[in-house]
Amino acid sequence: MSDQAENVRKLLAENALLQKKIAELEELAALHRRAEGEIRKRDAQYQQLVAHAPDGIFTIDGEGRFLFVNAAFCRMLGVGPDECLKLNILDTYPDTSMPDGLKRLADLQCGEALRFERPLRRQNGSIIIVSANAWKDPDGNLRAIVRDITERKRMEEALRRSEEKYRNILENIDDGYYEIDLAGNFTLVNDEISRHLLYTREELIGMNGRRYMDEETFQALTRHYLELYRTGKRIQKYAFEIIRKDGTRGFSEISVALIRDDRGNPIGFRGISRDVTERRQMEERIRQSEERYRTIIEQIEDGYFETDLRGHLTFVNEAECRNLGYSREEIIGMNHHQYADEKNAALLFNLFYGVYKTGIPVRAQAIELIKKDGARHFDEISVALIRNAKGEPTGFRGIARDITERKQLEEKLRVISITDELTGLYNRRGFIAFSEQHRKIAVRTRQAMLLFFADLDKLKEINDTFGHQEGDRALVEVAEILKSAFRESDVIGRIGGDEFAVLVTNATAAAGGLLSARVQEILDRRNQGQSRGYPLGLSKGVAPYDPDHPCSLDELMSRADERMYRQKTNKLSDR
């Protein structure tokens, strides 16, 4: 019995142990089922995350074939998922050659990752720029996450160009540009600041204002910076004295604003600086000159005048009284209509009005004026605005110089430059200038003209036989003949030693023979009535200007000269 009881006891113990093992296995099975459910849940979440991720995600095999793509990557390529899975990674590159980046990806070891940027060709042929993070999985496939950074790249390029543009502006403007920190130390300067202070850029960076101005100036400027820091109100055109590296002094005029960080906190100042040393020196010279103003005005040889905005004279010096021939009492209150004709009064009005509208002085404008005795003379005037303390225009001041003699001399020189001194006719320069004017009119109005050439025969024989003085008299007589034969409106000139030319306006080819006959008739009468010891002879050539077939003046002169030479040759052969 004892053995049987023992066996029962052992069986019960084994059964209890078996029940325990079964319970443990059932618990493990439950845990496994829960784990599988969690894995499926997480896998579904992962798939959901990948499917809706804003970045493109894909997997390719060793041949570059797409094994997986998410919706974002399909949108990048511009194709659907099924079509995308038919593509090769090479199809997304701008060309079909094996890109270096793809070679590096192929050489990746499992677990290694590579970050890079590359162009990605969409199916419509357009190119976008993407950043990629790629790695190789245990199966040897390449996985990658890509992000479209085209817009960012565009903005970076726009920012780069903007920075380059403004950097070029800062380096090329005539004014200085600088930035300082809150302690007043330079953090950025352009070349103009260096030129003004005579320090190099390297020397200026980190330099404090105390180094280039005296203490009193520094303290005054610091108060302005503190006020700007406290209120944010810009400093506008504040001028102060600076001390250059070589010890010389100058003046700067600055306009300054705060520099703020992204949160709006002040971190420094930026400003535009202008070298106004010359202007300040000029202001000082003007101040000093004003002390001598009245004395100088009365002593200068040029006329000085002031008017109100309506043009009435309010002040003149003695020289201006002499210019116009009036006493000072008579001239005060006069308007320009009283000492200029209608044309020049209008010129004066426009001149003064232009100065008033623009504020820009007029320099050396020549105007014809009428003196008290009716004589006309020329003044060269310079005019500027007179302003009150508020900068408002109140009148005009000017300098008037009598240039009558100069104008007369200029006119004499002009006449001399286009006139043959011996005959009083136009010289070659004058003849061509006036003839060209008439030719242009003829082109525009379609008028016919004639060019008449005449050459004094045997001038050399006359000079050799009777002397050059007699030869000159012969040339003068030919000039008189031509002036008798042609109209005042025709252009007559001596264009060479013994050559003359006449441009006959508004004349057809049919008039050529009549004009030649008229010249010959007058020449014959002169020869019959003169006892000079030799006959005057002229070789003539006429070239018509046809408005239906216009030509240049040179061409017309060549034709007339050729016909004149032909007549001269025929005369020689008939002798």
Side-chain angles (χ1 to χ4, degrees):
M1 282 295 289
S2 60
D3 291 338
Q4 186 177 3
E6 182 63 22
N7 290 332
V8 170
R9 186 184 63 78
K10 288 182 178 179
L11 287 172
L12 290 173
E14 289 176 356
N15 183 59
L17 181 62
L18 181 60
Q19 291 295 327
K20 182 180 178 182
K21 292 292 185 181
I22 290 172
E24 288 177 353
L25 289 173
E26 288 176 346
E27 184 178 356
L28 286 173
L31 287 173
H32 182 69
R33 286 193 298 274
R34 286 197 299 272
E36 285 182 339
E38 187 66 26
I39 289 172
R40 283 194 297 274
K41 179 181 178 181
R42 292 186 179 181
D43 187 60
Q45 290 175 341
Y46 170 76
Q47 294 296 333
Q48 191 78 0
L49 179 64
V50 169
H52 294 89
D55 294 334
I57 301 173
F58 65 84
T59 303
I60 60 173
D61 63 16
E63 300 298 323
R65 294 185 292 265
F66 284 106
L67 304 177
F68 169 79
V69 292
N70 71 344
F73 188 68
C74 291
R75 287 194 297 272
M76 285 185 189
L77 289 179
V79 297
D82 293 339
E83 186 178 356
C84 188
L85 291 173
K86 297 176 183 179
L87 299 175
N88 190 284
I89 190 67
L90 288 174
D91 297 326
T92 68
Y93 281 84
D95 54 57
T96 57
S97 61
M98 184 70 167
D100 292 339
L102 197 56
K103 293 177 182 177
R104 292 200 302 272
L105 286 173
D107 294 337
L108 281 177
Q109 300 300 315
C110 180
E112 290 183 334
L114 182 65
R115 291 178 178 272
F116 59 94
E117 296 177 0
R118 77 168 181 92
L120 185 143
R121 184 174 65 85
R122 306 180 78 236
Q123 286 303 294
N124 63 5
S126 62
I127 304 296
I128 62 173
I129 306 298
V130 297
S131 65
N133 186 14
W135 67 95
K136 184 172 285 188
D137 66 15
D139 296 329
N141 297 321
L142 283 172
R143 299 191 178 191
I145 300 175
V146 294
R147 176 172 294 177
D148 185 350
I149 59 171
T150 306
E151 183 62 19
R152 191 193 79 192
K153 284 292 186 180
R154 187 193 66 77
M155 293 179 66
E156 288 175 353
E157 177 62 16
L159 179 61
R160 184 193 66 78
R161 290 181 180 176
S162 176
E163 289 176 346
E164 182 179 0
K165 178 179 71 173
Y166 287 110
R167 185 165 53 250
N168 288 335
I169 290 173
L170 290 179
E171 291 304 327
N172 290 287
I173 59 174
D174 293 332
D175 294 332
Y177 175 84
Y178 68 91
E179 295 179 5
I180 60 175
D181 58 25
L182 293 177
N185 303 311
F186 281 123
T187 58
L188 175 68
V189 296
N190 69 349
D191 287 339
E192 184 59 29
I193 297 289
S194 298
R195 284 192 289 270
H196 187 30
L197 295 176
L198 302 183
Y199 289 95
T200 65
R201 280 189 174 188
E202 292 73 17
E203 291 173 322
L204 284 171
I205 299 303
M207 183 183 292
N208 191 269
R210 278 191 167 94
R211 291 276 304 278
Y212 55 88
M213 64 185 84
D214 59 34
E215 186 63 23
E216 182 180 356
T217 302
F218 176 78
Q219 292 298 335
L221 184 56
T222 299
R223 287 192 291 272
H224 284 277
Y225 276 112
L226 289 173
E227 181 69 12
L228 168 59
Y229 179 85
R230 185 178 64 84
T231 65
K233 185 178 180 180
R234 295 186 176 189
I235 300 173
Q236 296 286 353
K237 295 185 177 180
Y238 177 75
F240 60 96
E241 189 177 47
I242 55 96
I243 303 173
R244 303 186 183 95
K245 183 178 181 179
D246 63 0
T248 59
R249 292 177 179 255
F251 286 89
S252 283
E253 183 180 81
I254 60 173
S255 296
V256 190
L258 271 175
I259 302 175
R260 299 181 184 271
D261 61 16
D262 294 338
R263 292 176 291 182
N265 298 318
I267 58 173
F269 306 91
R270 63 166 55 94
I272 296 293
S273 173
R274 177 169 295 176
D275 183 354
V276 293
T277 305
E278 291 186 5
R279 192 188 76 189
R280 291 296 290 263
Q281 292 171 345
M282 180 65 72
E283 289 171 352
E284 177 61 20
R285 287 197 294 270
I286 290 173
R287 186 194 65 78
Q288 294 175 2
S289 70
E290 285 177 348
E291 297 176 2
R292 304 186 298 272
Y293 167 72
R294 291 297 175 184
T295 302
I296 294 174
I297 287 299
E298 291 303 330
Q299 291 179 350
I300 60 175
E301 292 296 322
D302 292 336
Y304 175 85
F305 62 89
E306 294 179 3
T307 75
D308 60 23
L309 290 176
R310 294 179 299 172
H312 297 105
L313 290 164
T314 58
F315 175 81
V316 293
N317 67 351
E318 284 298 325
E320 185 63 6
C321 292
R322 291 193 298 272
N323 281 349
L324 294 175
Y326 293 93
S327 68
R328 191 173 301 213
E329 292 72 21
E330 290 174 319
I331 209 169
I332 297 301
M334 287 181 64
N335 187 277
H336 52 257
H337 287 286
Q338 296 172 265
Y339 49 83
D341 58 23
E342 184 176 350
K343 175 185 175 182
N344 285 279
L347 288 175
L348 281 169
F349 174 82
N350 291 333
L351 184 149
F352 279 74
Y353 183 70
V355 173
Y356 176 80
K357 290 294 288 183
T358 65
I360 301 173
V362 170
R363 307 289 183 190
Q365 177 68 49
I367 296 288
E368 187 180 34
L369 302 178
I370 304 172
K371 301 181 74 167
K372 182 180 179 178
D373 62 4
R376 291 177 176 264
H377 78 290
F378 284 92
D379 270 6
E380 187 177 74
I381 65 173
S382 300
V383 182
L385 273 176
I386 301 174
R387 299 181 184 271
N388 59 20
K390 297 180 182 179
E392 300 167 337
T394 59
F396 304 91
R397 63 165 55 93
I399 298 292
R401 174 173 295 176
D402 188 345
I403 59 169
T404 305
E405 290 185 3
R406 192 185 82 189
K407 281 287 188 180
Q408 292 171 345
L409 179 59
E410 288 173 353
E411 179 59 22
K412 289 180 181 178
L413 291 174
R414 188 192 70 81
V415 172
I416 289 172
S417 71
I418 61 173
T419 303
D420 177 52
E421 184 178 1
L422 176 64
T423 63
L425 302 177
Y426 290 123
N427 59 17
R428 185 178 188 86
R429 177 182 177 185
F431 176 80
I432 290 176
F434 283 99
S435 295
E436 183 60 28
Q437 290 180 9
H438 282 288
R439 188 193 70 82
K440 290 178 180 178
I441 294 172
V443 171
R444 189 169 62 251
T445 60
R446 298 182 59 78
Q447 288 185 355
M449 297 188 301
L450 290 174
L451 185 60
F452 180 91
F453 260 40
D455 184 276
L456 176 58
D457 296 335
K458 302 180 181 179
L459 176 61
K460 185 177 184 307
E461 293 181 16
I462 296 172
N463 285 330
D464 292 343
T465 304
F466 301 96
H468 285 277
Q469 190 172 4
E470 183 61 32
D472 289 346
R473 277 197 291 269
L475 291 169
V476 171
E477 191 169 353
V478 171
E480 293 173 352
I481 292 170
L482 294 177
K483 284 190 282 188
S484 299
F486 294 94
R487 302 167 298 184
E488 289 187 9
S489 60
D490 298 330
V491 183
I492 308 174
R494 179 188 173 202
I495 61 173
D498 55 1
E499 291 182 348
F500 296 82
V502 183
L503 184 72
V504 186
T505 60
N506 198 20
T508 62
L514 296 175
L515 290 171
S516 293
R518 184 193 301 171
V519 171
Q520 189 61 47
E521 180 185 351
I522 297 172
L523 178 64
D524 292 342
R525 286 203 306 268
R526 286 266 187 164
N527 283 331
Q528 292 173 3
Q530 297 286 343
S531 58
R532 64 177 84 83
Y534 60 88
L536 283 178
L538 290 176
S539 296
K540 300 178 287 295
V542 180
Y545 174 84
D546 184 356
D548 292 328
H549 300 89
C551 65
S552 68
L553 184 62
D554 285 342
E555 291 174 325
L556 196 62
M557 292 177 69
S558 295
R559 295 174 193 168
D561 184 61
E562 181 183 350
R563 293 171 185 179
M564 178 191 71
Y565 181 75
R566 190 183 306 142
Q567 187 183 86
K568 181 179 284 288
T569 302
N570 291 337
K571 285 182 180 181
L572 292 174
S573 62
D574 292 340
R575 292 173 63 180

